[in-house]
Amino acid sequence: MHELLTIAIPFPQARIQPVESELEHLNNPACDEVREALDDSGVHFISMCVLNGEGDHDTYLIMEGSSDLIREGSSDGDLVNVLATKLGAYLCRILRAAESAHATQEHLEATLRRHVIPVGHGLFATPGLTFDGTPSMSVERIRSEARLNRAVRDHLETHPLAGTSLQILISVRDKISQDASLKSLLKAEATPILEPLLHRKVPIAKLLIKGLFTFGWPWFLVSFLIATVLGVLAGRTTGILAGLVTGMVVFSAALVAFAILVGWLYRKLRQKEDEDVPDDSPLDPELSAKITRLENQTPQNHLGGATVMKPGLIRNLTLRIVLWYIDNSAPYRSRPGFLGELGTIHFARWVLLPGTNKLLFFSNYGGSWESYLEDFVTKAHAGLTGVWSNTIGFPKTRNLFGGGATDGDRFKRWARRYQWATPFWYSAYPGLTTRRIRLNAAIRQGLASASTEDEASAWLACFGSRPRSSRVIEKQDVQSILFGGMSRLGHGTCILASLPGKDVPRARAWLSQVEPLISFGERCPSENALIASFSASGLLKFGLDPRFMGEFPIAFQEGMAKEHRARLLGDTGDDAPSRWRWGHGKNPADVALLVYATTAPALSRAVGQIKKVCAKYGAEVVHSICLEEMNHRRQTHEAFGFVDGISQPLIRGTRRCGSQSDPIHRVEPGEFILGYRDNRGFLPISPTVSSTSDPGNILPVASAKSSDEELPNFSHIGGNAPRDLGRNGSYLVIRQLQQDVAKFEKYLSAAADQLRGHPAVPDALKYDTGKLQQWLAAKMVGRWKDGTSLTQSPEQPGTGWDDQTADRDKRCQKPTPDNSFRHGADDPMGYGCPFGSHIRRANPRESFDPGSDEQLGITNRHRILRMGRNYMESCDSGDEAAKRGLLFMCLNADIERQFEFVQQTWIMSPLFHGLESESDPILGHGGESGRLTIPTPNGPILLSGIKDFVSVRGGSYLFLPGRKAVWYLMGKRPKIR
């Protein structure tokens, strides 16, 4: 605890010059002799100055100080005692200069105690308010933690940062433990200055009742006594019941009168506020220069001044009420050591000097005067205005708290006008700001307590960075595919493998060989990349305790091939899992490895390396899918000839989001990456394991919320808290979709022949079969083949009909796709993009409620991040039917809310958007009974007989782990590399 006191000793005005001369000998900042005297005393700050009495008023020697409280309620070692013993000789000289009768060492302590100003709340206490910006931090602790920080920094600067974050922290801890002067600091202490704000809502009703009793008790007491006396008198003459009624009526009338009084006082306050005139007089250049000469000599500064109270009892009362409210509401509005969001003050106080109209203000703060006042203007202006609105010349206010300090330039000039040049000021640690003190405390706390990789990373972030918040992605721990589809690596293969059963050591050994090849981070690897994901069965083969599988989503646990899940996805009949090439019970895949490379030889080498590792450790490759070569400089077309990969959500915090600013596609990281806030501001549910299953403390501690505080707080680390296995991971959905191009084109040709000359077909297309086929295909998909939208280009492709050529290379060279449109607002009738078309189903935007941002937000809750590629053929089969298709891949944080919702509720629903018996014309499975309604201004065109153009040939739900989760599945951290 700390002691804050203010001492005011009156002396004759004629002695101002000698007293100020003595004070200036002590210096600001304090001279070496004073520093030597105070350095081991537990004093944080001391200042002394002279308050000019002006006219007949007394002049005062003002002292303010803050120190560690040795023993509460004891005068042995308190600040007055320290001043008398440590600075006795100096103070005696000052008092002699003031011609004090008690300017001797013998009487000094008694003189100081006699002039201490105790402050409090209520009607009869001296109005005042003290603020402690470093609660529980002693001088010795602040200094020793600063020494610890320097020692740690020296070690980090002189030793290479080798190993994981936790390994680095442990090496520093070992080094510090060998230093006898710092070893004791490896024991963590309670650190309130790092605590978060627990309450964010001020209990107005509770404070109102408390305030009424604090300031209205005389009225209530007198009212109660009067009501009691009148009730007793009435009871004696007319009976007890009549006496009770009389007393209640009188007391109720008193309450009504009190409310009327409060209303009258408020009206008078508003009247006086309207009459107030701000002081816009110019500053005294000489005083201003004197003040500024004393500032900015260290990272800390001192501010002292005296303002003049506005006359009248009303202002005296409102000052008391405001000071009381700030003190009582602060725990609900501010973190420990903060005033609202302002955290630069070490110690501060307001004191109304007894017997005068002078309101004193003192502050020991970090940073410059300009930055300090600007922080008040922007971060804590309401409380500041509430207090100083009761003083003369303050900028115009309204209702005590409004206006005032928000008028920044006028407020700063006013503050400078009433500030004095402090001739003596001592600081025990002049080189430290409050932020540095908090940071040093966090460094010590983490060094003593951190035990996991996540905590060690947060600790290392204390050196030149800050802890990760839920808004900042740990990109180095996230697999690279979450940042893009590896388009610069044009060659690829998907390897599906089964791990050895009931042989955990071999499975972990396999993963240890694969782990160095896995690509993490936002930057696309230059030559080749590997993405690794695991099914539920695969996780169990790495030794994951089966009881922890319940932490994973039900959809992931059951898998895509489960009968009822297949049914909701529309995987029935020819698409049933029993007919898949892989992913079903007979041919399961524990692991899906996506291998990418810049060239075919590089891909061949990477695939060969992986297959060699699989063979060595008993992992069987059950299926391989060769991906079609792609060129990132050209548009990619899927098998039916349409530009692919146009509409993608933009994850906030990634480079893609920064370079593509369309807000309708912007989503929070938590929609796709576990451990981050989603669009609703919550952290998605993430699979966890027990702390006992993670003896190496590889995984981060699981938390129901993520901290967005300035500094980490290691004091609440739970040794038995669950560990977060999902953090920085995602769920990967893979579906091998075979596309029958010949059937698709044959259907378009037949449909175009039937619609030739149809009155609802645009005139330019009625008798041009080729263009009509392209138009019908665009209506089914929802875009033209060149990627331009039907919403923006309803009559013809954006590049014109001439670019609808069979020469794919020619078409690929023109980047024409557009994506900045809203289905609802831009095409509410569906005349451009039909309601039942593929892209309107896959991403309706605000189609259900045209123009609604809320509807757009609802839709964005169901977005998926597509990372698929065309495949050419099965690597292990010469089946000609498997040569063309799409290896559909998407990432999501919640398989049911995202992929399955889109597939079931939008893609496959026969009642989507009010339609009847229609499913997706591209992905739907209706045999030969598929339908599509094409709205036009001249009436609907009804396409029927749409066949199944796409068949499912395999699929799986997989967990895409973050880097630390991979280490956990390996059973160890990797060797330093």
Side-chain angles (χ1 to χ4, degrees):
M1 294 181 63
H2 295 141
E3 178 186 14
L4 286 79
L5 64 76
T6 307
I7 299 173
I9 303 175
F11 67 92
Q13 189 175 3
R15 304 302 300 169
I16 289 179
Q17 195 280 328
V19 172
E20 287 186 337
S21 179
E22 288 293 339
L23 289 175
E24 288 172 356
H25 289 153
L26 301 181
N27 284 358
N28 176 358
C31 61
D32 292 341
E33 293 82 358
V34 172
R35 294 197 61 81
E36 290 174 5
L38 293 175
D39 269 355
D40 295 322
S41 64
V43 172
H44 291 260
F45 296 92
I46 292 177
S47 72
M48 298 185 199
C49 63
V50 171
L51 174 61
N52 195 326
E54 299 177 357
D56 296 333
H57 296 286
D58 286 332
T59 297
Y60 290 86
L61 170 66
I62 305 292
M63 289 181 271
E64 63 91 18
S66 45
S67 68
D68 299 325
L69 184 62
I70 307 302
R71 283 192 297 274
E72 191 169 4
S74 170
S75 61
D76 183 17
D78 67 0
L79 185 51
V80 171
N81 179 265
V82 169
L83 288 171
T85 55
K86 299 290 187 179
L87 298 182
Y90 303 103
L91 291 175
C92 285
R93 286 205 300 268
I94 294 169
L95 292 178
R96 281 196 292 272
E99 295 184 346
S100 170
H102 303 288
T104 63
Q105 188 71 49
E106 181 182 0
H107 299 97
L108 180 60
E109 185 170 342
T111 299
L112 296 177
R113 291 192 187 281
R114 189 165 60 252
H115 292 95
V116 170
I117 306 175
V119 297
H121 301 305
L123 295 175
F124 302 106
T126 299
L129 179 67
T130 59
F131 173 75
D132 185 348
T134 54
S136 82
M137 300 295 292
S138 67
V139 172
E140 176 54 32
R141 180 175 178 181
I142 290 172
R143 288 173 169 172
S144 61
E145 289 179 351
R147 293 197 305 272
L148 175 66
N149 169 58
R150 287 193 294 270
V152 172
R153 292 188 71 91
D154 290 344
H155 179 77
L156 293 176
E157 288 174 3
T158 56
H159 292 75
L161 299 181
T164 66
S165 297
L166 187 57
Q167 289 168 341
I168 294 171
L169 186 147
I170 291 172
S171 70
V172 174
R173 186 182 291 160
D174 292 342
K175 176 67 176 179
I176 297 300
S177 67
Q178 299 169 17
D179 188 329
S181 65
L182 298 175
K183 183 177 180 180
S184 62
L185 298 178
L186 293 179
K187 181 180 179 181
E189 295 185 46
T191 313
I193 58 174
L194 299 179
E195 296 289 341
L197 178 61
L198 299 179
H199 311 282
R200 294 188 180 275
K201 188 176 182 180
V202 178
I204 298 296
K206 178 181 177 181
L207 292 186
L208 180 61
I209 294 172
K210 185 177 179 181
L212 288 174
F213 279 101
T214 301
F215 298 102
W217 65 266
W219 184 282
F220 298 136
L221 178 60
V222 172
S223 300
F224 178 76
L225 291 176
I226 294 174
T228 301
V229 170
L230 293 178
V232 169
L233 292 176
R236 287 180 178 179
T237 58
T238 58
I240 296 176
L241 181 59
L244 289 174
V245 171
T246 300
M248 292 176 63
V249 169
V250 172
F251 190 72
S252 298
L255 292 178
V256 172
F258 182 79
I260 294 173
L261 175 62
V262 170
W264 178 83
L265 289 173
Y266 172 72
R267 183 178 178 184
K268 293 295 290 182
L269 172 66
R270 288 293 303 117
Q271 182 180 351
K272 289 181 177 296
E273 285 184 326
D274 289 339
E275 295 171 355
D276 288 338
V277 178
D279 184 356
D280 287 335
S281 59
L283 297 175
D284 180 349
E286 184 177 342
L287 176 60
S288 182
K290 187 176 181 180
I291 293 172
T292 55
R293 279 198 297 269
L294 296 174
E295 291 177 341
N296 302 319
Q297 300 185 62
T298 71
Q300 298 174 0
N301 276 301
H302 176 267
L303 188 155
T307 52
V308 180
M309 287 289 295
K310 293 172 181 175
L313 293 176
I314 292 179
R315 285 300 185 175
N316 186 281
L317 177 62
T318 54
L319 173 67
R320 295 172 183 273
I321 292 173
V322 168
L323 293 174
W324 174 89
Y325 176 75
I326 293 173
D327 194 34
N328 283 271
S329 64
Y332 301 96
R333 296 183 298 106
S334 307
R335 295 161 46 196
F338 280 72
L339 276 176
E341 297 180 22
L342 185 60
T344 56
I345 303 174
H346 294 269
F347 295 92
R349 76 206 69 195
W350 272 291
V351 180
L352 183 61
L353 188 60
T356 75
N357 61 353
K358 297 297 179 67
L359 180 62
L360 308 180
F361 177 71
F362 305 94
S363 181
N364 301 280
Y365 62 93
S368 68
W369 181 90
E370 182 68 32
S371 67
Y372 177 55
L373 270 290
E374 194 62 29
D375 279 346
F376 266 126
V377 169
T378 57
K379 298 179 181 179
H381 52 79
L384 204 68
T385 298
V387 176
W388 273 326
S389 63
N390 297 288
T391 61
I392 292 174
F394 193 69
K396 200 80 169 173
T397 62
R398 183 176 180 84
N399 296 325
L400 283 178
F401 296 97
T406 58
D407 186 353
D409 293 341
R410 182 169 278 108
F411 162 66
K412 286 185 281 188
R413 176 186 280 197
W414 176 89
R416 201 57 125 177
R417 184 179 300 112
Y418 289 96
Q419 185 179 348
W420 57 53
T422 306
F424 166 66
W425 177 57
Y426 164 83
S427 169
Y429 33 86
L432 299 177
T433 62
T434 51
R435 190 183 190 285
R436 187 68 250 176
I437 291 171
R438 291 193 293 270
L439 192 56
N440 290 343
I443 289 171
R444 175 197 177 178
Q445 194 184 64
L447 188 62
S449 305
S451 59
T452 70
E453 285 291 342
D454 194 51
E455 296 153 3
S457 296
W459 180 77
L460 284 173
C462 292
F463 300 92
S465 184
R466 65 182 299 165
R468 182 195 73 93
S469 78
S470 58
R471 297 175 177 85
V472 179
I473 304 172
E474 286 180 306
K475 298 179 181 180
Q476 73 281 2
D477 278 4
V478 178
Q479 291 200 47
S480 300
I481 197 170
L482 274 152
F483 302 108
M486 306 290 182
S487 60
R488 292 182 179 276
L489 305 178
H491 298 260
T493 295
C494 176
I495 299 175
L496 301 149
S498 176
L499 297 171
K502 298 182 180 181
D503 195 342
V504 172
R506 290 191 79 191
R508 288 181 170 177
W510 173 85
L511 184 56
S512 296
Q513 295 296 309
V514 171
E515 183 271 338
L517 307 176
I518 300 175
S519 302
F520 293 93
E522 189 170 22
R523 186 175 297 278
C524 182
S526 58
E527 184 174 349
N528 53 55
L530 175 67
I531 302 301
S533 58
F534 311 100
S535 67
S537 61
L539 294 179
L540 292 173
K541 290 182 178 180
F542 288 118
L544 182 68
D545 194 317
R547 61 195 169 105
F548 299 142
M549 283 305 301
E551 296 284 329
F552 287 86
I554 292 295
F556 172 75
Q557 294 180 55
E558 293 182 341
M560 189 185 295
K562 196 76 171 180
E563 181 180 358
H564 59 272
R565 305 217 82 86
R567 186 173 63 253
L568 73 85
L569 295 177
D571 295 342
T572 58
D574 186 54
D575 292 324
S578 60
R579 307 193 66 173
W580 292 357
R581 291 192 174 93
W582 62 276
H584 52 78
K586 297 179 181 179
N587 202 13
D590 297 323
V591 178
L593 300 175
L594 300 170
V595 191
Y596 301 97
T598 52
T599 63
L603 177 66
S604 179
R605 289 192 298 271
V607 170
Q609 181 181 4
I610 290 169
K611 288 185 175 180
K612 185 176 179 180
V613 171
C614 289
K616 180 178 179 180
Y617 294 98
E620 179 186 358
V621 176
V622 298
H623 197 68
S624 292
I625 304 171
C626 295
L627 306 181
E628 186 176 291
E629 181 182 354
M630 63 181 295
N631 188 331
H632 74 276
R633 294 185 177 87
R634 298 178 177 179
Q635 293 291 350
T636 300
H637 291 71
E638 49 75 55
F640 293 147
F642 289 82
V643 171
D644 195 22
I646 297 171
S647 181
Q648 287 278 52
L650 305 173
I651 302 176
R652 193 184 302 276
T654 63
R655 284 202 297 266
R656 286 185 66 247
C657 185
S659 62
Q660 302 179 41
S661 58
D662 193 338
I664 70 173
H665 303 294
R666 195 173 299 148
V667 297
E668 296 299 324
E671 293 297 320
F672 301 103
I673 312 175
L674 301 177
Y676 302 85
R677 290 179 179 169
D678 61 20
N679 287 351
R680 298 289 184 184
F682 298 100
L683 290 176
I685 296 174
S686 181
T688 62
V689 298
S690 67
S691 59
T692 56
S693 74
D694 184 23
N697 291 316
I698 295 171
L699 298 174
V701 174
S703 174
K705 62 184 182 67
S706 63
S707 173
D708 291 321
E709 301 296 341
E710 174 189 37
L711 298 171
N713 182 5
F714 300 96
S715 62
H716 297 304
I717 294 173
N720 297 322
R723 302 298 197 249
D724 193 344
L725 181 63
R727 181 89 155 259
N728 292 317
S730 185
Y731 293 101
L732 174 65
V733 176
I734 298 182
R735 286 166 73 80
Q736 184 178 350
L737 305 178
Q738 178 180 313
Q739 296 174 258
D740 194 329
V741 178
K743 185 186 291 187
F744 180 67
E745 292 178 347
K746 183 178 179 181
Y747 174 77
L748 290 175
S749 177
D753 288 340
Q754 290 180 3
L755 292 176
R756 185 178 177 85
H758 192 288
V761 173
D763 292 340
L765 311 178
K766 281 183 180 180
Y767 301 103
D768 189 324
T769 304
K771 291 181 180 179
L772 185 54
Q773 288 184 30
Q774 296 292 341
W775 184 75
L776 290 174
K779 291 293 184 178
M780 294 171 69
V781 172
R783 284 186 183 273
W784 296 99
K785 285 192 174 184
D786 66 358
T788 52
S789 69
L790 286 167
T791 300
Q792 303 282 20
S793 305
E795 296 296 329
Q796 66 176 17
T799 52
W801 293 108
D802 291 341
D803 284 321
Q804 300 305 306
T805 173
D807 185 350
R808 176 173 294 190
D809 288 340
K810 183 178 179 182
R811 285 189 279 126
C812 287
Q813 292 170 359
K814 294 196 174 182
T816 57
D818 58 285
N819 199 36
S820 298
F821 60 85
R822 298 190 178 201
H823 284 308
D826 298 331
D827 187 17
M829 308 296 290
Y831 291 158
C833 184
F835 294 134
S837 66
H838 172 66
I839 75 160
R840 197 152 184 164
R841 286 175 175 271
N843 179 16
R845 309 190 188 205
E846 42 43 285
S847 186
F848 301 113
D849 188 2
S852 169
D853 288 335
E854 182 180 3
Q855 180 61 52
L856 190 64
I858 293 172
T859 299
N860 281 343
R861 288 276 292 161
H862 305 292
R863 296 293 295 273
I864 55 176
L865 192 63
R866 295 176 294 116
M867 296 296 171
R869 286 198 185 186
N870 297 331
Y871 69 85
M872 297 178 292
E873 60 181 350
S874 172
C875 296
D876 300 326
S877 171
D879 185 357
E880 292 296 318
K883 284 188 175 181
R884 302 294 301 277
L886 175 69
L887 186 65
F888 171 87
M889 295 183 288
C890 75
L891 295 156
N892 27 219
D894 187 325
I895 295 172
E896 291 183 88
R897 171 170 59 83
Q898 292 169 282
F899 168 71
E900 288 192 342
F901 179 92
V902 172
Q903 182 76 6
Q904 179 186 23
T905 309
W906 291 344
I907 297 289
M908 293 299 184
S909 172
L911 302 176
F912 175 79
H913 221 309
L915 300 171
E916 182 180 3
S917 301
E918 294 186 24
S919 63
D920 190 298
I922 302 299
L923 297 180
H925 303 308
E928 294 189 1
S929 60
R931 299 157 44 127
L932 175 67
T933 301
I934 303 175
T936 77
N938 297 319
I941 296 176
L942 303 177
L943 291 185
S944 60
I946 297 177
K947 308 180 187 312
D948 295 348
F949 306 122
V950 178
S951 303
V952 184
R953 290 296 172 252
S956 183
Y957 290 150
L958 303 134
F959 174 55
L960 189 82
R963 188 191 296 269
K964 294 183 179 67
V966 173
W967 295 351
Y968 175 81
L969 295 174
M970 287 164 47
K972 61 181 179 180
R973 292 187 182 86
K975 293 182 180 179
I976 298 173
R977 55 177 188 267

